[in-house]
Amino acid sequence: MSNKNASIKISPSILSADFAQLGNEIRAIESAGCDWVHVDVMDNHYVPNLTIGPDVCKWIRPHIKTVMDVHLMIEPADALLGAFAKAGADYISVHPEAHPHLDRTLQVIAGLGVKAGVALNPSTPINVIENVLDRLDLVIVMSVNPGFGGQSFLHSQIQKIRDLKTMFGGRDILIEVDGGIKPSTAPLVAEAGADVLVAGSAVFGKGAQSEDVYAANIKAIRDAANRVINGAMG
Ligand code: DX5
Ligand code: ZN
């Protein structure tokens, strides 16, 4: 069913994991019940932080049994799209401000056999994607300004989720919300129509914790979201 969040997905951001043991961290969150794995790629140019590139994605890919959800905060990404596809990304999302020829960038992603996404910063209006909707599999609503984990959720972005759902019509485009998601904010975005919740610090804490801790953290977010979806009980 299009644009229904009846089974909300949790995509922990490995930005808050222990980078010295990414394979272990990914196995732990998947055993703990996550649905996707969110990979934040930053270049210290588009955003003021620096993380990983396609080679690390290639090395972590065999540890991911679910879905590799790659969020590119790099400008420009075009020359590296092939490398991220080859590394095994299932979804690649780009920021429109970093890609003036967004339609072409999305065509390239699709041509690589990867699902295409766009990430909208808090200050970015939804009309930037109005003319590329048929090229999209995913829209990420940034509920913080991109660059860092552990920031406070921006309540101003909740209405954007509702506006996107209206804009999508019957199209099968998932809405992912990224930034400041925890048990207290998950219901707000689930109620507005989010399908996928990214959570970094609320799942990993400071990282390198037990699978049981991760399972409890994921369950707390999922239960909080499910309580407001279609009358489902968490
Ligand atoms: C921010 C990243 C997010 C971040 C979320 O630029 O895109 O994915 O890791 O972290 P939390 O959940 O801690 O806000
Ligand atoms: Zn992200």
Side-chain angles (χ1 to χ4, degrees):
M1 187 76 77
S2 297
N3 299 330
K4 293 285 183 210
N5 57 10
S7 59
I8 203 143
K9 294 176 171 51
I10 309 293
S11 188
S13 166
I14 60 170
L15 185 62
S16 295
D18 179 345
F19 271 43
Q21 43 177 326
L22 284 176
N24 290 338
E25 294 277 68
I26 288 165
R27 278 193 298 278
I29 53 170
E30 290 199 336
S31 298
C34 75
D35 301 283
W36 291 10
V37 176
H38 187 83
V39 182
D40 285 309
V41 177
M42 304 184 184
D43 66 351
N44 189 35
H45 171 67
Y46 181 66
V47 290
N49 198 358
L50 190 61
T51 58
I52 61 169
D55 283 345
V56 174
C57 290
K58 178 187 76 180
W59 282 101
I60 63 176
R61 176 71 254 197
H63 300 279
I64 299 175
K65 307 294 182 219
T66 58
V67 171
M68 190 178 194
D69 167 28
V70 177
H71 176 192
L72 297 182
M73 288 160 275
I74 62 178
E75 181 179 9
D78 298 83
L80 288 173
L81 293 173
F84 283 106
K86 199 169 171 203
D90 293 295
Y91 285 83
I92 294 178
S93 298
V94 297
H95 282 254
E97 302 83 359
H99 300 88
H101 309 296
L102 182 63
D103 183 81
R104 181 160 62 206
T105 299
L106 296 172
Q107 285 189 58
V108 171
I109 295 171
L112 291 164
V114 178
K115 293 195 167 85
V118 160
L120 301 176
N121 286 333
S123 63
T124 303
I126 66 171
N127 64 13
V128 300
I129 58 169
E130 197 172 356
N131 295 316
V132 295
L133 289 179
D134 290 331
R135 301 208 186 281
L136 291 175
D137 299 293
L138 179 73
V139 173
I140 303 179
V141 174
M142 294 304 304
S143 40
V144 296
N145 288 289
F148 304 96
Q151 302 180 79
S152 296
F153 178 82
L154 295 172
H155 289 256
S156 57
Q157 300 308 300
I158 295 171
Q159 184 59 38
K160 187 182 279 183
I161 300 168
R162 299 185 203 284
D163 293 344
L164 282 169
K165 282 183 76 75
T166 302
M167 179 192 260
F168 290 170
R171 292 178 181 82
D172 205 2
I173 305 171
L174 295 175
I175 299 178
E176 178 173 278
V177 183
D178 185 1
I181 296 296
K182 50 190 178 181
S184 61
T185 54
L188 306 175
V189 299
E191 200 276 333
D195 301 290
V196 186
L197 306 185
V198 174
S201 48
V203 169
F204 285 101
K206 294 190 190 313
Q209 298 185 57
S210 73
E211 181 187 315
D212 289 349
V213 169
Y214 294 158
N217 291 345
I218 290 169
K219 185 175 188 304
I221 296 167
R222 193 190 298 283
D223 287 354
N226 279 340
R227 271 193 282 274
V228 299
I229 298 173
N230 300 330
M233 298 305 292

